[in-house]
Amino acid sequence: MTPDELTDLLRKAMPLLGRAADELATLDGAAGDGDLGITVSEGARAVEQALDTLPADVALAALLRAVGAAFARGNPSTFAALVGGGLLAAARAVTDATTVDRDAALAVGRAVAAAIAQRGGSAPGDRTVLDALIPSLDALEQATGTSEAALDAMIQAAEDGVAATRQMSPRKGRAAWTGDRGLGHPDAGATAYLRFLQSLREVTVGTDGRVDG
Amino acid sequence: MTPDELTDLLRKAMPLLGRAADELATLDGAAGDGDLGITVSEGARAVEQALDTLPADVALAALLRAVGAAFARGNPSTFAALVGGGLLAAARAVTDATTVDRDAALAVGRAVAAAIAQRGGSAPGDRTVLDALIPSLDALEQATGTSEAALDAMIQAAEDGVAATRQMSPRKGRAAWTGDRGLGHPDAGATAYLRFLQSLREVTVGTDGRVDG
Amino acid sequence: MSKKLINQPANFVDEMLEGLLAAHPDQLAVAKGDSRVIVRKDAGTGNRVGIVTGGGSGHLPLFVGYVGRGLATAAAIGNVFSSHSSDAALEAIRAADCGRGVLCLYGNYTGDRLNFELACDLADAEGITTTTVLGHDDVASAPPERAAERRGVAGLFFAYKCAGAAAEEGRDLAAVTAVATKVADATRTMGVGLSPTIIPTAGKPTFELAEGEMEIGIGIHGEPGIRRGELETADSVVEQLFERVSAELDLGPGSRVAVLVNGMGATPLEELYVMYRRVRQLCDERSVVVHRAYVGEYATSLEMAGASLSLLKLDDELVSLLDAPAASPFFRQ
Amino acid sequence: MSKKLINQPANFVDEMLEGLLAAHPDQLAVAKGDSRVIVRKDAGTGNRVGIVTGGGSGHLPLFVGYVGRGLATAAAIGNVFSSHSSDAALEAIRAADCGRGVLCLYGNYTGDRLNFELACDLADAEGITTTTVLGHDDVASAPPERAAERRGVAGLFFAYKCAGAAAEEGRDLAAVTAVATKVADATRTMGVGLSPTIIPTAGKPTFELAEGEMEIGIGIHGEPGIRRGELETADSVVEQLFERVSAELDLGPGSRVAVLVNGMGATPLEELYVMYRRVRQLCDERSVVVHRAYVGEYATSLEMAGASLSLLKLDDELVSLLDAPAASPFFRQ
Ligand SMILES: Nc1ncnc2c1ncn2[C@@H]1O[C@H](COP(=O)(O)OP(=O)(O)O)[C@@H](O)[C@H]1O
Ligand SMILES: Nc1ncnc2c1ncn2[C@@H]1O[C@H](COP(=O)(O)OP(=O)(O)O)[C@@H](O)[C@H]1O
Ligand SMILES: [Mg+2]
Ligand SMILES: [Mg+2]
Ligand SMILES: [Mg+2]
Ligand SMILES: [Mg+2]
């Protein structure tokens, strides 16, 4: 896949993400302040706009820079800053990539995860987006076969990761100390990442969700 | 009936008035601010306390003064000021009465009504307590037979008067000008007076409400 | 059920006053003769005309919040949405008098009037001269030809501010009264309610408003307004309020006004600024000059959601009185 | 459904700012480079250390309400309950700097921190020295041994007040920063929520609270508290809040404190005074001296019903800084 093809996929996937806004607002409201729905829908809208301004034959790094900056600015917030900042960090990590193959995708994902963990001061198990992101990258690393199959494996791993956050204490154990209003719900940021992967699959393989490989 | 006997009746009737507080709050809330329930229940409580401090062989004027001042102070408000002030005016009108017969009762009632109309700048038909009070005094004036029968006639007239307020525009025609939230409900102050008469009857003739004359 | 942070409902007003006095002992005091009378710390001194106000509780900062320097001298405090007693009004008048007389400045409600009138009669018998000016700014409460019957609402703030400044300057009773009258006659207000209030001792709403409904012209105690309808945008609501409050003020290019966008209690300050934005646009379109804008909670109805818009048409005298400094625990300029 | 006086939800914050600037043109201005940055009219002049704050909208008077004389110099404005951008933070820092450096003083929320940290890095590259102090007064948000992780809530007001006074006096960046740190470390807050809030663009409550239920320790965005339970009396709620906020301050006879009883939005001012009454009794019982009491809306959560109690333990330095004059459209002393 070329960066231009990825741009095209993202342009189709972004509008689908808005559908998750209500769900994410509710999940974020259960444990936090409820603004994640807006962060994701506004972020997706900002990304879509940024994609439209990209020149043809764009480099992967430039694509990531544009997407990262747009997402960070869409609705500034923790999630926007971490994910947007993560994509900017990834752009620095893939400066010379010109195709988006599995290795490149993995490098981007790992760079994003590392940046989120570093800037957020968080680790797997802290009930964050990392608990879906990292398992999905592990799945990608082990995947063989078509890119559709790899994406499916990533989604499966992210789904499991999201489910696991239900049992995790939000914000590094705060629930153990305070009430348990957030407990039992999956983490909002992890869910947002899962919805992103699912949107990507939807535009990759058609709405029937079946994988053709 | 002596003033002491009236004192005794009132002492029994006052606690019953509190039962009307919710109804009166709702009626007053429909067209006004909803405080009439408190005015009546607090007023009744204040009257009860004032009665306890009266000496034996009290003069009617002194009884009215005590009751009027107490009601006015219970929960100061329009209704408290008008009714309390009306009773104080009545005390001035019956200075030399020593028994509470029909004539004395009528004199008190007329004095109260005149004072309310004068200080409130209101007339029959303005959707106020006067629309129950004045018809009930007319009924008293025409009543023959026992005092219980007279009281029953007063109640009947007050009931009709209260019902008639349903069709009257509150506060001198304000409903015609503004919305109609209060229209259809009976006037709160008129209803309060009716409930007072009914409480009086209840302690006069027993709780079965039958009149023994 | 009511969601209130209170103790025994019957003690609500007295506990509120206890807290108020404990919080502001440098500015406020209770009158000697009546625990329901709050006075400026320096009431009765300074050779100033006194200004007394009063009314029911549940409207903070109205009424007691305008007891302060350059504002009112004393306030008589009633139960929630009920008048103060005539005893309290009399005590407030006594406390406010330094020998130059007392202006009674309050909203046009029958109960408040009856109790103030009695108090003024008694004060007169004691040799204290009083005058009375009633706030009657609520345009929704009676048509223009019966303007004197209208209720007083948030616009009373302007009367305190200007009459208080006149008293602080040392003007005499007639002059202070004239200022209050001028302001009362040049002020118009209309409100919109989005949710009901709950009197603590009653414990349930005094009226109902359906989800998504608003009531235009609602009174400060929840008295019925002019029209109920589906909730509209802030801009549309402001346009309707502005139309009504400006209609009788004969505003034209160059007219100067003071604006008050007042929150009824539960409505966030952010929304009041969204409203003021539109008010200002409407003034600008008409070349009406906003000399001063007040945005915030100036006269509330407990936890009612909603807001009101007041306009005061200014002349040179009112401009300088409005600009004068003032200070109470609730208002400082 | 939400009962809000707004227009397009997406325009809420920008329209609010437009109203704010229209209402207070004498005191506030927008920064040249970013419409989401509000500055003191005289920002960048006067040879004072700058103080920059910021965060999500929906908390007025927090944050922009504390931009004023003797308070903060500039504020970066985010969407409702969302962080400001790093661009806005950088612009605020630039606008606030007169060459003596800028203190970034805001609440401890990850999003706000991330955006401020980036802005400080960029400011540094431009030669502007910055320091950072985070409000972390909410005792309900982490146990004492993790106090640095706590969220910042209403107690931030004390930090603005004291650091702002120090900057106004002309102290240097290190000294102003030391004051802010001292205040942040000596302030404790806990709140109680009685009803949820509604983010305009979401249009429905972020959480539910049953009839007659309260949540002790709730966050300023509705973050979960320590305990849900049946609504209790004001006195009982105050006792629980006081116990928690005073526990870590080592208060004894003669200790001096400043008290803030803060309304979350919908709770009437009357109820806040009922609460303060009990706070004062508890202080008196312990011979703790209340040097100043602030009662009102200082940090809200849109239309949430509820309140918080903050205590600041004072020393001589903080007493004199707290007593210094200050003036913004929302706070004047
Ligand atoms: N320190 C952190 N490290 C990694 N991810 C985090 C961190 N804090 C929050 N997140 C993720 O961001 C999501 C919340 O984002 P957002 O709503 O923007 O936060 P807030 O409203 O608290 O600023 C969480 O569900 C979590 O997945
Ligand atoms: N001007 C008036 N003249 C006679 N009765 C009046 C007048 N105004 C009010 N009332 C009576 O008082 C009742 C309301 O009393 P109250 O609740 O104390 O008034 P408010 O709350 O408006 O002060 C009305 O239902 C009416 O019967
Ligand atoms: Mg959030
Ligand atoms: Mg009433
Ligand atoms: Mg409020
Ligand atoms: Mg409010």
Side-chain angles (χ1 to χ4, degrees):
Chain A
M1 190 156 53
T2 66
D4 282 2
E5 282 161 355
L6 176 58
T7 300
D8 210 54
L9 270 185
L10 288 172
R11 197 181 281 122
K12 289 185 195 139
M14 285 304 110
L16 306 187
L17 255 182
R19 295 179 310 196
D22 260 17
E23 173 200 23
L24 298 175
T26 305
L27 288 177
D28 189 36
D33 53 8
D35 65 335
L36 191 73
I38 299 152
T39 293
V40 168
S41 56
E42 285 302 308
R45 199 199 318 267
V47 168
E48 212 185 326
Q49 280 172 4
L51 294 173
D52 284 342
T53 66
L54 286 180
D57 289 324
V58 72
L60 179 57
L63 171 58
L64 291 170
R65 255 196 312 274
V67 167
F71 193 78
R73 289 195 166 108
N75 183 59
S77 61
T78 302
F79 194 75
L82 287 176
V83 172
L87 290 165
L88 294 176
R92 289 191 291 274
V94 296
T95 33
D96 45 6
T98 50
T99 59
V100 193
D101 54 14
R102 198 186 59 173
D103 285 356
L106 197 58
V108 168
R110 294 291 184 206
V112 170
I116 291 176
Q118 189 252 314
R119 299 193 62 201
S122 48
D126 281 352
R127 189 185 156 92
T128 70
V129 61
L130 294 178
D131 294 310
L133 176 57
I134 293 176
S136 82
L137 296 173
D138 294 345
L140 174 62
E141 191 158 7
Q142 279 147 34
T144 53
T146 65
S147 56
E148 282 79 10
L151 183 51
D152 258 20
M154 289 177 75
I155 288 171
Q156 185 58 53
E159 262 169 8
D160 296 347
V162 166
T165 61
R166 286 180 188 273
Q167 309 308 325
M168 294 177 190
S169 301
R171 321 246 157 152
K172 309 187 200 161
R174 188 171 175 276
W177 147 249
T178 67
D180 52 3
R181 212 171 73 202
L183 268 190
H185 297 283
D187 176 62
T191 306
Y193 173 66
L194 171 62
R195 297 291 171 251
F196 166 70
L197 289 183
Q198 288 170 330
S199 300
L200 215 52
R201 183 172 74 167
E202 205 170 316
V203 298
T204 311
V205 301
T207 49
D208 63 352
R210 229 177 306 126
V211 182
D212 59 36
Chain B
M1 187 156 57
T2 66
D4 281 3
E5 282 161 354
L6 177 58
T7 300
D8 211 54
L9 271 185
L10 289 173
R11 199 181 278 122
K12 289 184 195 138
M14 286 302 113
L16 305 187
L17 255 182
R19 295 178 310 194
D22 259 17
E23 175 199 21
L24 298 175
T26 304
L27 288 178
D28 189 35
D33 54 7
D35 65 336
L36 191 74
I38 298 152
T39 293
V40 168
S41 57
E42 285 303 308
R45 200 200 316 267
V47 166
E48 214 186 324
Q49 281 172 3
L51 294 173
D52 284 342
T53 66
L54 288 181
D57 289 323
V58 71
L60 179 56
L63 170 58
L64 290 169
R65 257 198 311 274
V67 166
F71 192 78
R73 289 195 166 108
N75 184 58
S77 62
T78 301
F79 194 75
L82 287 175
V83 172
L87 291 165
L88 293 175
R92 289 191 291 274
V94 297
T95 33
D96 46 7
T98 50
T99 58
V100 191
D101 53 15
R102 197 185 60 170
D103 286 354
L106 199 56
V108 168
R110 295 289 184 206
V112 170
I116 290 177
Q118 190 252 314
R119 299 193 62 201
S122 47
D126 280 353
R127 190 188 155 93
T128 70
V129 62
L130 294 178
D131 295 308
L133 177 57
I134 291 176
S136 82
L137 296 173
D138 295 344
L140 174 61
E141 191 159 4
Q142 278 147 37
T144 53
T146 65
S147 57
E148 282 79 11
L151 185 50
D152 258 19
M154 291 178 76
I155 288 170
Q156 184 58 54
E159 261 169 7
D160 295 346
V162 165
T165 61
R166 284 179 189 274
Q167 308 310 324
M168 294 177 188
S169 301
R171 320 243 159 155
K172 311 191 198 156
R174 187 169 177 279
W177 149 250
T178 67
D180 53 2
R181 213 170 72 202
L183 268 189
H185 298 283
D187 176 61
T191 306
Y193 173 67
L194 172 62
R195 298 288 173 254
F196 165 69
L197 290 182
Q198 289 170 330
S199 300
L200 214 53
R201 182 172 76 169
E202 203 169 317
V203 299
T204 311
V205 301
T207 50
D208 62 353
R210 231 179 303 125
V211 182
D212 58 37
Chain C
M1 230 220 42
S2 91
K3 284 224 167 175
K4 289 181 185 290
L5 285 164
I6 58 174
N7 298 305
Q8 282 302 315
N11 299 337
F12 178 62
V13 173
D14 292 314
E15 291 182 350
M16 178 271 284
L17 291 178
E18 198 182 324
L20 185 72
L21 290 163
H24 311 293
D26 50 326
Q27 298 177 70
L28 299 176
V30 68
K32 277 186 302 288
D34 196 315
S35 66
R36 287 294 188 91
V37 177
I38 304 292
V39 302
R40 271 173 68 163
K41 208 56 193 288
D42 61 355
T45 67
N47 198 30
R48 276 183 304 264
V49 165
I51 299 178
V52 165
T53 189
S57 290
H59 305 298
L60 278 183
L62 214 60
F63 298 89
V64 64
Y66 299 109
V67 171
R69 187 157 43 81
L71 298 162
T73 322
I77 319 280
N79 284 334
V80 173
F81 294 1
S82 287
S83 173
H84 50 80
S85 68
S86 52
D87 301 337
L90 176 58
E91 207 57 62
I93 292 169
R94 286 181 182 142
D97 185 45
C98 326
R100 297 190 65 197
V102 172
L103 164 65
C104 296
L105 178 58
Y106 56 96
N108 184 27
Y109 293 91
T110 314
D112 299 346
R113 254 186 39 224
L114 293 172
N115 284 299
F116 257 116
E117 281 166 10
L118 181 53
C120 288
D121 287 350
L122 295 169
D124 187 58
E126 296 180 11
I128 303 176
T129 312
T130 64
T131 56
T132 294
V133 174
L134 299 178
H136 56 97
D137 50 317
D138 185 356
V139 296
S141 57
E145 61 277 14
R146 301 209 317 257
E149 287 175 33
R150 287 174 176 167
R151 297 182 299 246
V153 287
L156 205 43
F157 159 72
F158 290 134
Y160 296 135
K161 179 68 198 67
C162 295
E168 207 73 30
E169 275 182 10
R171 299 194 196 176
D172 67 15
L173 181 59
V176 172
T177 305
V179 166
T181 303
K182 190 202 270 187
V183 174
D185 291 344
T187 303
R188 297 290 184 283
T189 299
M190 193 156 91
V192 59
L194 272 57
S195 76
T197 58
I198 303 168
I199 301 182
T201 44
K204 54 174 197 185
T206 45
F207 62 96
E208 306 283 345
L209 260 177
E211 282 288 308
E213 221 184 11
M214 66 171 186
E215 183 157 334
I216 292 254
I218 200 160
I220 197 179
H221 309 92
E223 293 95 335
I226 288 179
R227 175 172 85 74
R228 275 191 180 198
E230 225 173 283
L231 181 56
E232 297 167 29
T233 62
D235 282 358
S236 161
V237 168
V238 167
E239 286 153 22
Q240 294 170 59
L241 299 182
F242 188 88
E243 158 95 40
R244 295 294 285 264
V245 300
S246 63
E248 297 168 26
L249 290 179
D250 190 27
L251 300 179
S255 296
R256 286 167 299 173
V257 294
V259 176
L260 168 57
V261 177
N262 170 58
M264 302 272 205
T267 291
L269 200 40
E270 283 83 356
E271 297 179 22
L272 304 182
Y273 277 103
V274 169
M275 292 178 73
Y276 178 68
R277 166 184 168 276
R278 186 73 189 123
V279 174
R280 179 58 189 274
Q281 289 174 345
L282 294 171
C283 288
D284 287 353
E285 284 167 17
R286 287 157 183 73
S287 302
V288 168
V289 180
V290 179
H291 177 69
R292 265 181 191 271
Y294 299 91
V295 181
E297 292 181 0
Y298 285 77
T300 62
S301 303
L302 293 172
E303 65 282 269
M304 190 190 291
S308 66
L309 169 64
S310 303
L311 294 182
L312 164 62
K313 190 175 181 184
L314 295 167
D315 61 13
D316 288 341
E317 180 190 29
L318 295 185
V319 161
S320 88
L321 292 168
L322 195 69
D323 287 350
S328 83
F330 297 87
F331 178 76
R332 187 174 277 263
Q333 168 180 299
Chain D
M1 232 223 43
S2 91
K3 285 228 170 174
K4 288 180 188 285
L5 284 164
I6 58 174
N7 299 305
Q8 282 301 317
N11 299 338
F12 179 62
V13 172
D14 291 314
E15 291 182 349
M16 178 271 286
L17 291 178
E18 199 182 324
L20 185 73
L21 290 163
H24 310 293
D26 50 326
Q27 297 177 70
L28 299 177
V30 67
K32 277 186 303 286
D34 196 316
S35 66
R36 288 295 188 91
V37 177
I38 304 291
V39 301
R40 272 173 67 164
K41 209 53 192 289
D42 63 354
T45 68
N47 199 28
R48 278 181 303 263
V49 166
I51 300 180
V52 165
T53 188
S57 291
H59 304 297
L60 280 183
L62 214 62
F63 299 86
V64 65
Y66 298 108
V67 171
R69 189 158 41 83
L71 298 162
T73 322
I77 319 281
N79 284 333
V80 173
F81 294 1
S82 284
S83 173
H84 49 81
S85 68
S86 52
D87 299 336
L90 175 59
E91 207 56 61
I93 291 169
R94 286 181 181 143
D97 185 46
C98 324
R100 296 189 65 198
V102 172
L103 164 65
C104 297
L105 177 58
Y106 55 96
N108 184 26
Y109 293 91
T110 314
D112 300 346
R113 253 187 41 225
L114 293 172
N115 284 299
F116 258 116
E117 280 166 12
L118 180 53
C120 288
D121 287 349
L122 295 169
D124 187 60
E126 296 180 9
I128 304 175
T129 313
T130 64
T131 57
T132 293
V133 175
L134 299 178
H136 56 98
D137 49 317
D138 185 357
V139 296
S141 57
E145 63 276 14
R146 303 209 315 257
E149 287 175 32
R150 288 174 175 166
R151 295 183 300 245
V153 287
L156 204 44
F157 159 72
F158 290 133
Y160 295 134
K161 180 67 197 72
C162 295
E168 207 72 31
E169 274 182 10
R171 298 194 198 176
D172 68 15
L173 182 60
V176 172
T177 305
V179 166
T181 303
K182 191 203 267 188
V183 174
D185 290 345
T187 303
R188 297 290 185 281
T189 298
M190 193 155 89
V192 60
L194 272 58
S195 76
T197 58
I198 302 169
I199 300 182
T201 44
K204 53 174 200 187
T206 45
F207 63 97
E208 306 284 345
L209 260 176
E211 282 289 306
E213 219 184 13
M214 65 171 186
E215 183 157 335
I216 291 253
I218 200 159
I220 198 180
H221 309 91
E223 293 95 332
I226 289 178
R227 175 173 84 74
R228 274 193 181 196
E230 224 175 284
L231 181 54
E232 296 168 28
T233 63
D235 282 359
S236 161
V237 168
V238 166
E239 286 153 21
Q240 294 171 59
L241 299 182
F242 189 89
E243 157 95 39
R244 296 293 286 263
V245 300
S246 63
E248 297 168 25
L249 289 179
D250 191 26
L251 301 179
S255 297
R256 286 167 300 174
V257 294
V259 176
L260 168 58
V261 177
N262 170 58
M264 302 271 206
T267 290
L269 200 42
E270 283 84 356
E271 297 180 22
L272 303 181
Y273 277 103
V274 169
M275 293 180 71
Y276 178 68
R277 168 185 167 274
R278 186 72 191 122
V279 173
R280 180 57 189 274
Q281 289 174 345
L282 294 170
C283 287
D284 288 352
E285 283 167 17
R286 287 157 182 74
S287 302
V288 168
V289 179
V290 178
H291 176 68
R292 265 181 190 271
Y294 298 92
V295 181
E297 292 180 0
Y298 285 77
T300 62
S301 302
L302 293 173
E303 66 281 272
M304 189 190 291
S308 66
L309 169 64
S310 302
L311 294 181
L312 164 63
K313 190 176 182 183
L314 296 167
D315 60 14
D316 287 340
E317 181 191 29
L318 294 186
V319 162
S320 86
L321 292 168
L322 196 69
D323 287 350
S328 83
F330 298 87
F331 178 76
R332 187 172 277 262
Q333 168 179 298

